[in-house]
């Protein structure tokens, strides 16, 4: 039987590429360039499915131009805000994502950002490298203590819960808001705030772990930052669009916030340039899931979904 034809829009980890080539007649992207919409449409001719990433804009205009041969889209990510799901639904094209397998890696990087932002890791690293560190001193580069502080988790899905688990090892008092209250076995003693506005005032650390959606667009704005305790620390490992950058930058500059730790940005990689000028922000280039194990697992999950589709079975992780 002929192998299904697949367009892979970005380079994949080697182990995932091997599996792609074993199962699919695939066009891959060895030099990992960003394909224009025209290139995607051209390369999608005659393909049965697309394997895309969060860096691809699979918007309605692109979906409308897809050749009729394309019957499924798998994304190499848990997030799917880069895909116009309504347009896929209208076209009758199922979409799959890769939940679960990146939960731990993303929660780990949330803790890295919390510690990095609280303990001034960027400034300290820089001082050592630039030979600006002169002597141990009782008052040199003092940070914020994390142990025992209150952590507010905005979005208590799989990743939020994994962050809470790690925070408990730091004896943090965990608070959260979520569409629905979790059952006690998942809540693990965390305090639920039915109104997310109430979460702000109890968040010495405020961690954004909710998906991007029209409702969460620029959710953390100036009015809400004002409700955070003075000296609070903001962490974002979800999506940049949940934060109003101008408001966050103003609060970091004014000293309202002690610092921020950010792995994701609106319009990334073209983030608001003001972030680069600030000392009190710990920045990472969207590395939440960037471990070899996790990226392999994400790729395999995307392929499990494609395999299921072409075997006529239900998708394992269907978002549309
Ligand atoms: C995802 O899968 O949505 C992540 O942001 C990628 O790291």
């Amino acid at each position: 039987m002929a192998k299904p034809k697949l367009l892979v829009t970005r380079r994949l980890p080697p182990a995932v590429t091997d599996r792609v080539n074993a199962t699919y007649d695939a066009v891959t992207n060895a030099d990992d360039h960003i394909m224009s919409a025209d290139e995607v449409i051209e390369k999608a001719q005659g393909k049965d499915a697309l394997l895309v990433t969060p860096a691809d804009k699979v918007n309605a205009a692109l979906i409308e131009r897809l050749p009729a041969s394309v019957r499924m889209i798998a994304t190499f990510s848990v997030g799917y805000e880069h895909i116009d799901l309504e347009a896929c639904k209208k076209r009758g094209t199922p979409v799959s994502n890769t939940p679960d397998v990146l939960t731990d890696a993303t929660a780990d990087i949330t803790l890295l950002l919390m510690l990095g932002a609280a303990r001034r890791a960027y400034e300290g690293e820089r001082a050592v490298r630039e030979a600006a560190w002169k002597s141990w001193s009782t008052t040199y580069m003092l940070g914020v203590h994390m142990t025992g502080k209150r952590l507010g988790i905005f979005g208590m899905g799989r990743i939020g819960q994994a962050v809470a688990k790690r925070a408990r090892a730091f004896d943090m008092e965990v608070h959260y808001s979520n569409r629905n209250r979790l059952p006690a076995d998942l809540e693990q003693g965390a305090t639920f705030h039915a109104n997310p506005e109430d979460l702000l005032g109890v968040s010495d650390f405020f961690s954004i772990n909710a998906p991007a959606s029209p409702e969460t667009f620029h959710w953390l704005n100036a009015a809400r930052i004002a409700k955070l305790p003075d000296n609070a620390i903001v962490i974002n490992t979800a999506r940049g669009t949940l934060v109003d950058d101008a408001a966050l930058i103003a609060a970091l500059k004014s000293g309202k916030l002690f610092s921020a730790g950010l792995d994701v940005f609106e319009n990334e990689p073209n983030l608001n340039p003001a972030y680069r000028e600030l000392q009190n922000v710990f920045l990472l280039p969207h590395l939440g899931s960037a471990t070899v194990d996790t990226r392999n697992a994400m790729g395999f999950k995307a392929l499990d979904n494609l395999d299921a589709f072409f075997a006529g079975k239900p998708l394992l992780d269907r978002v549309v």
Side-chain angles (χ1 to χ4, degrees):
M1 210 174 79
K3 292 174 177 176
K5 292 188 167 55
L6 181 66
L7 170 61
V8 182
T9 58
R10 296 297 296 274
R11 180 166 56 213
L12 298 172
V16 182
T17 304
D18 288 349
R19 192 172 137 186
V20 163
N21 290 329
T23 323
Y24 292 91
D25 177 359
V27 167
T28 55
N29 179 354
D31 67 9
D32 206 24
H33 66 281
I34 296 168
M35 290 188 190
S36 66
D38 286 347
E39 185 178 354
V40 172
I41 296 301
E42 186 203 315
K43 296 208 159 119
Q45 299 304 317
K47 301 295 177 298
D48 297 302
L50 306 184
L51 175 46
V52 303
T53 74
D56 300 300
K57 300 272 166 283
V58 189
N59 55 25
L62 186 120
I63 290 162
E64 275 165 25
R65 293 174 64 201
L66 283 176
S69 60
V70 172
R71 288 176 289 135
M72 179 186 162
I73 299 174
T75 183
F76 191 114
S77 59
V78 66
Y80 42 78
E81 74 293 333
H82 53 292
I83 303 175
D84 190 319
L85 297 185
E86 277 310 309
C88 289
K89 212 185 279 175
K90 209 166 112 197
R91 189 180 183 273
T93 308
V95 176
S96 68
N97 70 339
T98 64
D100 300 314
V101 292
L102 44 63
T103 298
D104 287 325
T106 309
D108 290 350
I109 218 138
T110 305
L111 269 287
L112 171 67
L113 290 173
M114 287 166 68
L115 283 165
R119 301 301 297 273
R120 304 175 64 171
Y122 164 68
E123 289 170 90
E125 231 262 340
R126 205 172 145 193
V128 175
R129 284 186 195 276
E130 294 178 356
W133 175 39
K134 300 299 174 214
S135 158
W136 188 93
S137 149
T138 59
T139 53
Y140 181 55
M141 222 176 266
L142 304 185
V144 165
H145 202 60
M146 201 158 104
T147 303
K149 292 284 166 59
R150 298 168 299 177
L151 167 64
I153 300 179
F154 180 70
M156 195 66 148
R158 288 169 285 243
I159 296 171
Q161 291 167 44
V163 171
K165 181 178 172 188
R166 285 154 177 75
R168 283 193 289 273
F170 285 81
D171 290 330
M172 295 187 87
E173 186 183 302
V174 180
H175 295 252
Y176 75 99
S177 67
N178 199 41
R179 196 166 299 154
N180 299 307
R181 183 170 183 172
L182 299 181
D185 60 324
L186 296 182
E187 203 170 60
Q188 292 284 322
T191 305
F192 176 59
H193 298 267
N195 183 348
E197 302 286 333
D198 299 337
L199 181 68
L200 294 160
V202 295
S203 298
D204 301 315
F205 288 74
F206 184 77
S207 176
I208 300 176
N209 295 101
S213 69
E215 296 76 48
T216 58
F217 183 76
H218 284 193
W219 192 87
L220 192 64
N221 57 20
R224 294 193 172 111
I225 290 173
K227 292 184 181 176
L228 289 167
D230 289 344
N231 252 3
I233 293 175
V234 168
I235 304 298
N236 190 4
T237 53
R239 285 293 184 263
T241 52
L242 277 86
V243 172
D244 175 345
D245 286 328
L248 181 59
I249 288 163
L252 289 165
K253 279 186 177 161
S254 72
K256 160 69 186 170
L257 297 177
F258 181 77
S259 60
L262 307 175
D263 185 45
V264 288
F265 305 89
E266 189 167 7
N267 301 323
E268 62 185 48
N270 302 312
L271 61 155
N272 187 316
Y275 282 126
R276 296 199 183 95
E277 308 304 321
L278 292 170
Q279 300 297 300
N280 58 342
V281 59
F282 187 69
L283 304 169
L284 291 177
H286 203 149
L287 296 182
S289 62
T291 70
V292 174
D293 298 7
T294 303
R295 290 285 166 84
N296 283 344
M298 290 167 75
F300 295 150
K301 209 170 209 312
L303 291 176
D304 290 345
N305 279 282
L306 286 161
D307 292 353
F309 179 76
F310 288 110
K313 295 186 184 152
L315 301 191
L316 310 166
D317 310 289
R318 184 174 185 142
V319 292
V320 156

